[in-house]
Amino acid sequence: MSRTVGQTRADVEEASRWLAGRVVRTPVLRSPVIDELAGARVLLKAENLQHGGSYKMRGALRAVGRLAAAGHTGVIAQSTGNHAVAVALAARQHGLAATVVLPVDAAPTKVERARAAGARVVFAGTAVEERVAVANGLSDDSGHPVVDAYDHPDVIAGQGTASLELIEDAERAGTPLDALVVPVGGGGGVAGGCLAAAGTGIEVYGVEPVGCDSLARSLAAGVRVPVAPAPTIADGLRPSCVGELPFAIVRDRLRGVVRVDDDEIAAAFRLILTELKVVAEPSGAAALAGALRLAPAKDRQRTVGVVLTGGNVEAALVARLMAPRSADLTREGAAA
């Protein structure tokens, strides 16, 4: 990538102004039970209620909108699902053709959402490298640009508007954030969160599934470190390596990364459904699982913001996750 890191909070603010009226300003939810478990005030940004079912709509719409204004007639995207759905929806809004590249094991709900939005769906293996290669080949053949899921400045700025809204709403409510927690796949969302929180004193944390911890390993090494993603119910958090641009943004701004396992993610999923009465996909629930591990010492004056990034989840998985289990949430551990 030839881009340099020059993004600031102003880019997120500009994206927020542009997106006003184009995306849902999703509500901030709160539960006394979750506050009690966390030992802190927890504010949850319900991006599962966003157009397309995830906050990916923000970055996709911002990026595709600018490409449409520049005269492009089509776009290409690759992802495990939510970004592809968002790009397809954004392309339809702007009258552009869309081709999305998904893994062969993509969630059927996300495949159907992309098709319903008018996108041509192409399947390519299970690894991100396979999807990237196919997407780049399609771009070479068609001349249509690739809208990367996280390694793209407009996508990062757009994703960051969810965190910006959460920060603003918390301030208006008289409960300004002390910490912001965002799940990490390729890093676009947490990079946008870091930009949104710049200059505020808010500590920003990323959350990764155990075994899918490229960002945590990269921060420890000082360079990007790829991983062979382990199996996880959080299918949206399985890129093999954190993005180049996101890593450059977060490496000196992120307070830490919390690793969570599938039992913790599943418990957070159940908590969100039973206490908030909304459905968040496991990738979004991972953020709450991470937040619950951040406060081993109770500080009820502390306010923690959590971005529930999406809600596109298979009905069968919901049923499986809601089945009785003996595993309980653990709040032990610290940010890596």
Side-chain angles (χ1 to χ4, degrees):
M1 184 193 312
S2 61
R3 293 188 294 271
T4 59
V5 179
Q7 285 186 281
T8 67
R9 191 175 201 260
D11 294 297
V12 180
E13 292 170 336
E14 180 184 353
S16 183
R17 288 190 292 270
W18 188 87
L19 288 168
R22 293 181 167 97
V23 296
V24 177
R25 189 174 183 107
T26 52
V28 176
L29 308 179
R30 188 179 173 195
S31 157
V33 172
I34 293 175
D35 286 359
E36 179 66 25
L37 285 170
R41 185 185 298 111
V42 181
L43 306 180
L44 299 105
K45 179 69 165 167
E47 283 295 296
N48 52 311
L49 303 178
Q50 186 55 257
H51 294 316
S54 84
Y55 80 149
K56 293 288 188 178
M57 193 65 198
R58 296 171 178 271
L61 197 55
R62 177 63 168 159
V64 172
R66 296 186 75 170
L67 289 170
H72 291 279
T73 59
V75 289
I76 295 168
Q78 68 77 23
S79 82
T80 56
N82 280 342
H83 176 68
V85 171
V87 168
L89 288 167
R92 185 174 67 180
Q93 285 189 31
H94 288 281
L96 274 61
T99 300
V100 299
V101 184
L102 297 173
V104 294
D105 58 353
T109 294
K110 296 176 181 179
V111 175
E112 290 310 310
R113 280 178 176 263
R115 284 182 171 147
R120 171 194 174 202
V121 176
V122 176
F123 295 101
T126 58
V128 64
E129 293 82 6
E130 295 172 283
R131 299 195 303 275
V132 168
V134 170
N136 288 339
L138 291 169
S139 178
D140 290 340
D141 291 341
S142 66
H144 296 161
V146 174
V147 180
D148 195 272
Y150 42 84
D151 233 344
H152 191 294
D154 290 331
V155 169
I156 289 172
Q159 253 74 299
T161 63
S163 293
L164 182 65
E165 288 180 8
L166 177 54
I167 291 168
E168 292 172 345
D169 288 347
E171 290 175 348
R172 290 194 189 103
T175 54
L177 298 187
D178 297 294
L180 173 67
V181 184
V182 185
V184 177
V190 76
C194 284
L195 294 175
T200 65
I202 297 170
E203 297 177 345
V204 183
Y205 294 86
V207 179
E208 292 182 304
V210 171
C212 302
D213 54 350
S214 173
L215 177 55
R217 297 188 193 194
S218 299
L219 290 171
V223 295
R224 292 193 304 145
V225 177
V227 298
T232 176
I233 58 174
D235 66 312
L237 307 182
R238 298 187 66 243
S240 60
C241 191
V242 63
E244 182 179 347
L245 183 54
F247 181 63
I249 290 170
V250 307
R251 62 186 302 173
D252 297 320
R253 307 184 196 214
L254 201 63
R255 178 65 177 83
V257 178
V258 184
R259 297 174 176 92
V260 293
D261 61 30
D262 274 5
D263 283 344
E264 292 172 294
I265 296 171
F269 172 91
R270 292 191 291 272
L271 195 57
I272 292 164
L273 184 55
T274 57
E275 296 303 323
L276 301 178
K277 314 305 180 190
V278 298
V279 177
E281 61 189 272
S283 297
L288 176 58
L292 291 171
R293 300 189 69 209
L294 283 175
K298 293 182 182 293
D299 179 0
R300 300 197 180 277
Q301 299 307 308
R302 181 173 170 84
T303 303
V304 179
V306 174
V307 182
L308 299 180
T309 50
N312 294 324
V313 58
E314 299 295 308
L317 180 56
V318 173
R320 180 161 67 87
L321 293 178
M322 290 305 293
R325 292 187 176 205
S326 60
D328 293 322
L329 283 169
T330 176
R331 299 187 300 279
E332 298 179 358

